[in-house]
Amino acid sequence: MKKTLYSGKYVPGTYSQRVSNIEERIENYVLEWEKKKSSREETPEFFPAITFSRKIGVGALNIADIVGEKLGFRVADREVIEKIAEQAEVSEKAIAFFDERFPGYGNRTFKFLFGEKSFIDSDYSRHLITVITAIAGSNSTVFVGRGAHLILPRDRVLAVRCICSDDFRVKRVADIMGIDEHEAKKQLSETDKEQAAFFRKVFNKKAAPPDEFDMVVNLDHFARPEDVADIVMLAFNKKFDTAG
């Protein structure tokens, strides 16, 4: 049976081992929202977060997992964010938490991103943005994809962009999926189009200019994801003065 980027052992922006515990991960988010809502904290704020932006297949999720494990942060990837946004009951809980903890922030964010005439024309898009902010408002998180750096308060985010050559991505995905490089290149081309369509629809953006980020890392020149993770953690600790 032919493997695609949406089947087999690899899914863009996710890993297969995450599928088995995704419901448990979502339940943990809901429990955190409910706990925070019942707390007496008078001045809630967004926890410092790390966001990874990338093209599919670069390997950013691997780096994010290492960062999350070392810092003790949970990792919210594309899969879990979309799953929450698509589940009406869970999404409503995220909205309820967000509206109570950060009143007015949503409208300000929508106007900042899209102007007075909101570009967001679907419940899904609004839920997606609310989910990301609700997650960031309940605990320290590493986000991978879905434009999280464009949504969260910029002073509460270390925004990282991972780049690489097309050859790097093609070889990496071909190896992970066990397919030839020609097929990997074809499938990556399709996912690039889908990712570009998402950013046009949700953010009205065609590109990710480097000045949107705190740092841009070219993974062609790092042999070990652990080394990139160390660099990201150093930058995070320096930006938020969290080093011991």
Side-chain angles (χ1 to χ4, degrees), residues 54-121:
R54 83 286 188 245
K55 282 189 173 182
I56 302 302
V58 169
L61 184 54
N62 190 12
I63 297 167
D65 278 338
I66 297 169
V67 171
E69 183 177 358
K70 289 188 175 182
L71 292 180
F73 292 3
R74 68 264 181 94
V75 178
D77 57 35
R78 169 179 129 167
E79 181 184 24
V80 72
I81 292 170
E82 290 187 345
K83 193 79 171 179
I84 294 174
E86 291 168 356
Q87 293 184 5
E89 182 179 351
V90 180
S91 183
E92 287 173 5
K93 291 181 179 180
I95 292 170
F97 167 81
F98 175 70
D99 286 345
E100 179 175 311
R101 298 280 288 183
F102 305 102
Y105 180 81
N107 288 334
R108 293 195 301 271
T109 302
F110 298 148
K111 288 180 180 179
F112 173 75
L113 288 172
F114 313 110
E116 291 295 329
K117 293 183 179 180
S118 175
F119 184 78
I120 303 177
D121 60 359

Side-chain angles (χ1 to χ4, degrees), residues 36-199:
K36 289 288 183 181
K37 280 183 65 178
S38 64
S39 73
R40 297 183 179 273
E41 184 180 350
E42 295 182 357
T43 56
E45 62 179 18
F46 289 98
F47 289 80
I50 300 173
T51 64
F52 282 90
S53 171
R54 83 286 188 245
K55 282 189 173 182
I56 302 302
V58 169
L61 184 54
N62 190 12
I63 297 167
D65 278 338
I66 297 169
V67 171
E69 183 177 358
K70 289 188 175 182
L71 292 180
F73 292 3
R74 68 264 181 94
V75 178
D77 57 35
R78 169 179 129 167
E79 181 184 24
V80 72
I81 292 170
E82 290 187 345
K83 193 79 171 179
I84 294 174
E86 291 168 356
Q87 293 184 5
E89 182 179 351
V90 180
S91 183
E92 287 173 5
K93 291 181 179 180
I95 292 170
F97 167 81
F98 175 70
D99 286 345
E100 179 175 311
R101 298 280 288 183
F102 305 102
Y105 180 81
N107 288 334
R108 293 195 301 271
T109 302
F110 298 148
K111 288 180 180 179
F112 173 75
L113 288 172
F114 313 110
E116 291 295 329
K117 293 183 179 180
S118 175
F119 184 78
I120 303 177
D121 60 359
S122 72
D123 288 340
Y124 171 78
S125 296
R126 287 185 177 275
H127 289 176
L128 186 72
I129 290 173
T130 302
V131 165
I132 289 173
T133 49
I135 291 173
S138 60
N139 216 328
S140 295
T141 307
V142 181
F143 291 91
V144 183
R146 302 293 86 174
H149 69 289
L150 298 170
I151 295 168
L152 300 175
R154 195 60 182 82
D155 63 343
R156 306 302 290 166
V157 168
L158 176 75
V160 182
R161 174 73 173 175
C162 292
I163 64 172
C164 69
S165 64
D166 285 341
D167 284 347
F168 180 97
R169 284 201 304 153
V170 168
K171 290 176 181 177
R172 181 175 180 274
V173 170
D175 180 62
I176 289 172
M177 295 182 63
I179 58 178
D180 62 50
E181 292 186 9
H182 175 77
E183 181 63 22
K185 184 175 182 179
K186 178 182 176 182
Q187 293 188 32
L188 281 171
S189 177
E190 291 300 314
T191 59
D192 286 348
K193 292 176 183 177
E194 292 172 8
Q195 187 180 48
F198 166 84
F199 276 89

